Every structure is written in C-alpha cells, then in structure tokens.
Amino acid sequence: MFRQARYDEPLIFEIGRKNTSKSERNNVVPEKISRKKLPEIPSLTEPEVVRHYTRLSQMNYGVDTGFYPLGSCTMKYTPKIVEEIAGFEEVNLHPYQSQSTVQGSLRIMYELEQMLKEIGGVDDVTLQPAAGAHGEFTGMLITRAYHESRNESRTEVILPDTAHGTNPASAHMAGFDVVEIPSEDGMVCLKALKNALSDKTAAFMLTNPNTLGIFEENVCEIAEAVHDAGALLYYDGANLNAIMGKARPGDMGFDLVHFNLHKTFCTPHGGGGPGAGPVGVKSFLRKFLPIPQVEYDEKKYYLNYDKPDSIGKISPFYGNFAVLLKAYVYIKLLGGNGLKNVAELSVLNANYMKEKLKKHYPLPYKNLRKHEFVLAGSELKEKNARTLDLAKMLLDYGLHAPTIYFPHLVDEAIMIEPTETESKNEMDKFIHAMIKISKNPLKNYSPKNTSAGKIDEIGAAKNMILSWKMFKEKK
Amino acid sequence: MEIKKDLKYTKTHEWVKTENEKMRIGVTDYAQEKMTDIVYVELPEVGKELKKGDELCVLESVKSVSEVYSPVSGKIVEVNKTLEDSPDRINNSPYNDGWIAVIEIKDGLEIKEFLNAEEYEKHIESEKA
Amino acid sequence: MNYIPNFEYRKEMLKEIGVKSIDELFSDIPEKIRIKKLNLPDGKSEMEVKKQVTEILEQNKKFLSFLGSGIYDIYVPSAVKAITGRSEFYTSYTPYQPEVSQGMLQAMFEYQSMIAELTGMDVANASMYDGATAVGEAALMCSRMNRKKEFIIPGAISWEKKSVLRNYAKGAGLKIKEIGYDTETGKINLDELKNNINDNTAGIYVENPNFFGVFEDEIDEIKNIIGKALFVAGVNPMSLGIIKSPAEYNADIVVGEGQSIGNPMGFGGPLLGIFACKKEYIRQMPGRVIGMTKDTNGRRAFCMTLQTREQHIRREKASSNICTNESLCALSTVVYLSLIGPDGLEKIGRELVSKTKFLSDELNKIDGFKAPLFSSYHFNEFVIQSKNDINRIHKKLVEKGVDPGLVLTKQFPELGNTMLCTVSEMHSKEDLLTLVNGLKEVSHV
C-alpha cells in the first residue's frame, strides 16, 4: 500500500542558528553601497541541510516513484545513464571558451540538430529555446520576421480551442492577435478554419495529435488552406511522442516545428524544468533562425554568427546544453528503430487503457486515439462528486492523477497519457483504481496516504504568503 | 439560486439597479456560483469613462478568471473598495454587500435593453440547455 | 537495456483494443504522409553509447580561464548534487497535485524566500529561464503596469542580453533606449539618463556591479532621477553578501543570472533567471509562484498560487507564456545557499574583490597594459587595456592553455584593445600568477 512520507518538516529558516550580524571586518566596497546586515539565509551544517532536503524529497512524487499519466506532459522513465553523462566535468565549460577548445560540445549540438531534422522532417533546427513555450515564442518571432521580409502586414494567429495555453500566450507575446476557432468532432473544423483565414493571418498553430489524443486526419487539407492564404503552419511538438518514426510534421506541411526535449526525449522534467524547446524550420525560413547556428565545414564545428536576417538571440548562449546532451544520449540509445517502438508502444498503451476505461467514463469523439485520450468526468457529477475528487482519490492509490479540466471542451476532462515506459501491470492497477472510484466517488475527497491532506488553495490565494519575509510579517 | 424581482439583468449575468441618473452594478447569484470562491477583484478606477460592453472589472477564483462587462455607457463614480480585502462578499452577498461599481449613465435608452427577473431566469435555463 | 515494456503483452493488448496489428492503430494517419522508418542508426547499448559520448566530450578542453560576464566558474559542493540527484525531485513535473508534491513545493517556497532575503524584495518567482530573458520579462512587466512604451538600458550590457531583450520587447511595441557610460569611471552616465527620462518611460534597467565589473556606487541617485518610471535592478547574486540589497536603493523589480549561486556553467545552460519584486506588483509578475497555506487537517502546506496570471488559465492575456522553468536549478541554488550560509556568501564576495584587486594590480605592472581601465571599485571582473593587438595576445595565450578573458574590441571599439578579465573563486594565487606571467610573455609579440 502506498504511504508517502509525512514529516512535520520546518522551513529551513526555522531550523538553524540565526547569524545575521555583519562581521567586524573592513569594508571591501565603498561605504555608500556596502551591506550593513547580512541576508537572512540560514546558517547550517551539511548534515542538517542534507537531512532537510532528503526529507523533502521523500515528500515528492516522481516518475521513479510510480505511474504518472499526466496528459500532454509525456512523463516517461529516463534511463539513468542520461543523468550520469550530463554530470561529466567536460560539460561544465564556459560558453565563451574559444571554439577550437569546445569541439566536443559543438559536435553534440550539431549532431543533435541533424537527428531532430530527420525526426521532424525539417531542413534546419535551432537549439536555443529553453522550453516548449520559449520555442513557440521563437517560432512566432520567425513568423513575424518572415512576413515583414515580404512587406506583408499579418497580425493574426489562429489556433483551435484544443490548443495548449502556451500557444495563445506565445503568439500574443510576439505581438499577434489571437483568433480561436471551434473544433468539430474533436478535430479542427476545416470550414471554420477557412472562414478565419485571411490576408491578415500570419500563422495557424496546431498540435498533432491534438490534446484530445486525436490525429488531425485532415492535416494535409489544413496545410493547403493555410498556405493558400499565405500563412505559415506551426507545429506544437508536445505530442510528438505519438508519431515518431511513423510520420513527420514536415511531411504534413508544417513550416515550423518545436520539440519538447524534456517530454519526447525525457531529459527529464526536473520538477518543472529545465527543459529545452528546439525549433525546426523549412528551408525558406532558415535565414531567420536565431544566432549563432552550429555548423560543420568537414574539418571543425563552428558557431556561425554571420546571418543578417536572423531574429537575433532568444537565449543568452546556445540553449540548455546539458539538457540537449541528455536528449542526444537518449536518441543514441534508442536509435531510429527504438524511437519508432516508442511511438507504437505509447499508442498501444493509451488505446489499451482507453478501451478498458471507456465503459466506465464517457469517451467523447472518435474512438481511435494516439498516445493519450480524454475521458469526461460528467457522470461523477451525477454521483455528487467531481473530476477533482477522482484525482485526489487516485493519489491515495499511489498513482499520480491525470491532467484534469483540460482541454476545456470536454466536461470535467480527464486526460490520460501512460507513455511507452509503463508496464501492463502498472496500467492495470490504474485501470482498476479508476473503475473502483467511478462506482463510488467521494465528494470533497481529501487524500490520506499522501504527505499532505487536500490543500486549501483558496486560502493560499487569499492570504498570499509567498516568502519567509511575508510569513514573518503576517505573524 | 436567487433572482431578485426588483433588479434588472444582462445576458452576461450582471445585475443593475437604477438610482436616479446612476446605476449600481454587480454580478448575479448564478454567476458567483459558477465562478466558485472569488479570491481577487481587480477594480476599475473612479472617474473612468466606459462604453457599454467594455470591461468593467475582473473577478478571479483560484482556477478561473471572469470579466465583468459594463452594461451601460457612462462614468464610474463609485467602486466597492471593501472587495479588495473581502472579495468573498460577492459570493456571500452578490446583490447587496457584493456590489461592484456605480456608473453615471450617459445614454438613458440603453436601459430598455435589460432583462427583468423572469426573462433572466429563462435566459439561464436556455444557457443550461 | 530495455526501457519499453509490454512487447510480450502486445497481442493480448491488441486483442483487447479489437485491432489486429499495431499498424491499424496508425490507420488515421493519411497514407501519403506515413513513413516506414527514420533514417537514423539503430539504437546502441548503454556501454557503447557511454563510450562514444565520452570520447566526443573528451574533445573539449577545459583549462585555466578568466571568462565571466554573467556566467562564472564556481565550486558546487557535492551535497548540492546529492540532493538534486534525488530522482523524487528530478523526475517530477510541475506540482499540479500539491498533496503528493509537498517536497518540491516547500523547496521552491524556500528558494523564493532566499531570493527575497538576498534582494530585499518581498517575493520572487520560482525561476525564469535565465538572466537575459528575465530582463525581457521585467521590461514587459513595467509596461503592463504603467502602460508606457519606452524602456531604458545601459549601452554597456552584454550584446546577447540586448538582443534577447529586443526580441521580448518587439511584440509589445516597446522602444529600447541605450544610455552611455562614463569613460573615466565605467559607471552609467547619470546626466544622460536624466535627459532621456520622459513621460513615456516605462522603466529603467541598471546593473550593479555592471558589465565592466564596476560597482555603481551612485545607485542611490537613480530612483530620484527616474521619477515615476519603474526601476529594474540587475544583480550578480554572488555580490549580495557584501553590497546593499536592491531594496535599499529602492528598486521595484530585481532580476539576475542565478547560475553563479549553485549551478555549473554547463556551456551556457541550463541557467537560472532570478526574478523578484515588491509585493504590490505581484499580480503583474510573470512565472510560477508557490504560496504557503494549510491542508484540510490544518497542517502547514504549500501549493502553486496566483495561477490566474499564468498561460494555462489566462491564455493570451497571461502575464507571460512561461510554463516549464528552471526548478531544478532553483533547487541547486537553495541547497547551495543553505550550505554556504550568509557568512559564506560574504566570504566569497570579499575574496573575489581582493583577488580581483590583486590581479589587476599585478597586470597593471606589466609594460603596455592598463588594468583596471576604469578608476572605480570592481567586484570580480575588470577591463584591461593593451597597447598592442589584443586579439593576437588572446590567441597566443589560448595556445598556451590559458583563456585570459573576453575580448571587447567588437562590442566596445571605442575602448581600443581591451578585454574583460574575470576572477573566479576557483582561481588559486598560482592561477592568477600564471595569467600575469603569460601576459608578460606574449605582450611584446
């Protein structure tokens, strides 16, 4: 049975001796700017610090702890060798080191670009964006530069109502107005898209398979319509895991593609980051990619800054190198054949679970799904409970909850993505728990086997204690 | 769910109460119930001129944000400052303590477009369906 | 090694689904865009991959380097890696289910708290990508708060940071104005700043210490000069044990590159964007924030809060598009700061100042060099000027296995043959003397 550690662990500030008086030494900086009182960070010994954070780690659930079917997040197992290599001392280099002395790192980056080109079906790749949303923003800036280079004023970005929240936010940050179109049968409504497209449209952003786990079957017609309108087609790579080695965004007609290395290539998620969000483009957009681009002249690898049409920089250096290295190692381990197996097994697993669960929770829209599927929690409401209660009840089984309440077009949405690294045994346990809960969901459920009971999020928003400083002030 | 007989309503779930040349505005019981616990109200500034349909204020619960639209054109002459510290007044007393703002009306004709209690109830039913 | 189970159950599962083959599960992909396989080599064993990647990485040469400008070589205590290496932390995701994520949530609350202590601000977010994107986000935040459209920066910041900022500013239509520096002191030109403030100034960004490693000791003046515009302070967190917190010179928002407090350089990433502000601005702050609350049993607990600012709820109206951040790097930082403590932070700062002084004094003795170029107090880096071609000098030294610093001739041609020389806590006295002797040897070539 699942029992998460439950320590009454104090804040690290409450553990140690306080030592904030400034030592009686001479100032090494001008009096006007010298610090009179040391910052109030704790003063502790190593064992105290290590015990505190070890206990905290035991109050945290990761993929290594158990099943983590968070939809659209691709929480798969990361081979341990990946972490080990990223910790090598040869990785800890200053980014300004002379290029002749960092040939190993440049080679890794160059080769990773080649691999991503092949996987995405694109002509060039930048590794610079630090996350998926950062990649979207980069893609939108490239879109802007492209239309500007043609002296066209295109101000709108269209996206379907199933889009991740980052899509509209990224488009807006790049200065575009966002136009949302409704879905039809869980897919892009071609008619609505055509109506929305105009000479104002800069791009259409699409996730495929979409966030319902449905492959957009009309993707080729979508591409044609978007291109006919003079707009670009953008691929949100959050769900690439489902189609690797089976189909490529570039072949579908996408002009820009971002990859989420922390999802598809499990670099892993790090409690929320760091990630990496490389962007691939078709050749006609190549000249707009950020500088520098890693290139190879048959003798040496080098950083090419000589790109006058480039959008400039999106990160201070070359991207999250240590994360890129992890993705490189992962792709080397699996190879072309392995990546194809990843897609096949992730889709097999999702459809297996869907088949078992759809008798107990309504499955809106078509039956065949890719790597994830979305159930409706509407029948829980009839039993006076909600999807939120289901999520909290699952935690007590030692299972992480699925993504809930997204996408918005499914009532009480339950979005499940098992990934390829889960065994049938683990999935069966989850299925069993889901079925059991469907029969007797409990309203306002507070989990009992977790480190904390149900959290008062309303209290958190109302009282707003966001730091030790604010905590002391409230007291 | 309460619908007050003496108030007028909009299709976007605001209530209005005419007070001479002014109009007091809030959100309905139905609206606050849908939003669940309101934790923050972004109030407008007194003196701001609004057109009918402009954003009057923003209400936030933990997981959602709802805009309240001005049902009339005019100038904001009063806002309910108590909502800054106690946004839950909107949940507890949507028609009284939870009022949001008072607007000086510019165009008297706009008032005719409001729903009465009966029509508003029908509107909710049709939205639910 | 096998990372993908269920091969043996494949038939049984297919039967359950009601299809005959895996391919049938992909029948919804139009025929004309299906591919047979990827043109990549087949997978290799862990042993082979490790060998191959090790060989590639060994082509990197790590040697004595005096490079810095935001990224600094520091000693990361082993205990830091021991904690961030715990897979309960590094294999978790954004803590959407707080009941099973209390560990990371509390650690991030502690991170926010420590950044608040260092900067004197009330609150920090749980990280941005890096110091450069944090400046970009700060500029957007200023403009959101006061709806003004100009943002002022010092001309003397890294060109990469400027480029990132311009990209962040583009969508909002923000105009970026640059202010020069005093060629004697290397400090920001306050008169020029004063003359450039107008009714449309959203905010101003000033770094202390600045790009040249110079302390802006007139920084108290800035808030008076800029009037209603917002003040964004850029910090080198390593200096915050010895110099005033930005709160003491009335900054509204504080940003910085946090790599140097607990994270390796990683060839420029992942980094850690520090972002802190006064509590009255919190609703306009970008990024994830963790708050303290209680669970149903009344016990102290933590959760993500103020999420209505974020993209997954507010979509195009969100304060930023950021989702994935740099949590694990923030975890490194909070463990690092706990280990070194306030005294450790002060000690590192003091030592950097005195080592930097020692090095610049020694270099200044060499014929043909002036170090530091600017007559000011320096933190951990300084500009050195040569009478001869600095690019050649730099190249010669690299050939000898020493990287003497960042050549500035491209970005600051007006300074002549200059280079930015950075001292790190990793440098021993011998290392510093190696640079001195190296420069002596090559200075006349």
Side-chain angles (χ1 to χ4, degrees), chain A residues 57 84 92 118 340 467, chain C residues 36 39 50 86 122 265:
Chain A
S57 77
E84 188 185 331
N92 186 24
E118 170 63 16
K340 189 174 166 179
S467 62
Chain C
K36 291 240 153 40
N39 187 19
K50 187 171 176 179
R86 290 194 66 95
D122 299 304
M265 299 184 287

Side-chain angles (χ1 to χ4, degrees), chain A residues 20-91:
Chain A
T20 55
S21 62
K22 195 171 171 263
S23 51
E24 288 296 314
R25 280 168 293 194
N26 295 334
N27 282 335
V28 290
V29 297
E31 179 61 24
K32 275 194 284 187
I33 54 163
S34 86
R35 190 152 191 145
K36 303 289 180 292
K37 186 172 167 280
L38 284 181
E40 204 175 305
I41 53 177
S43 186
L44 297 165
T45 60
E46 181 173 327
E48 287 172 302
V49 174
V50 169
R51 273 197 190 138
H52 174 70
Y53 288 106
T54 299
R55 287 185 189 136
L56 289 189
S57 77
Q58 289 170 335
M59 297 200 282
N60 214 57
Y61 189 99
V63 173
D64 282 8
T65 316
F67 193 32
Y68 212 130
L70 205 58
S72 259
C73 299
T74 314
M75 300 299 291
K76 59 168 96 175
Y77 174 78
T78 306
K80 291 298 159 202
I81 180 73
V82 168
E83 281 295 319
E84 188 185 331
I85 290 179
F88 283 2
E89 196 43 41
E90 289 84 358
V91 177

Side-chain angles (χ1 to χ4, degrees), chain A residues 14 26 33 35 53 57 64 84 92 97 101 118 271 313 340 370 392 424 454 456 467-468, chain C residues 6 28 36 39 50 61 86-87 92 97 99 110 122 163 167 240 244 265 293 296 300 350:
Chain A
E14 295 165 324
N26 295 334
I33 54 163
R35 190 152 191 145
Y53 288 106
S57 77
D64 282 8
E84 188 185 331
N92 186 24
Q97 242 186 252
T101 68
E118 170 63 16
K313 294 205 63 73
K340 189 174 166 179
K370 295 273 83 61
K392 302 303 173 199
K424 181 172 171 293
K454 194 174 177 184
D456 179 10
S467 62
W468 169 240
Chain C
N6 297 346
D28 49 359
K36 291 240 153 40
N39 187 19
K50 187 171 176 179
K61 294 187 197 105
R86 290 194 66 95
S87 66
S92 67
Q97 295 294 335
E99 293 83 1
E110 292 173 353
D122 299 304
S163 182
N167 272 328
L240 290 176
K244 269 186 186 175
M265 299 184 287
T293 182
T296 46
R300 181 193 282 173
R350 295 179 75 93

Side-chain angles (χ1 to χ4, degrees), chain B residues 40 60-61 63-65 67, chain C residues 283 307-308 313-314 317:
Chain B
Y40 180 70
E60 291 185 16
S61 68
K63 295 274 165 72
S64 75
V65 182
E67 281 98 13
Chain C
R283 286 188 181 271
Q307 290 185 62
T308 44
I313 291 175
R314 204 59 153 256
K317 287 184 182 165

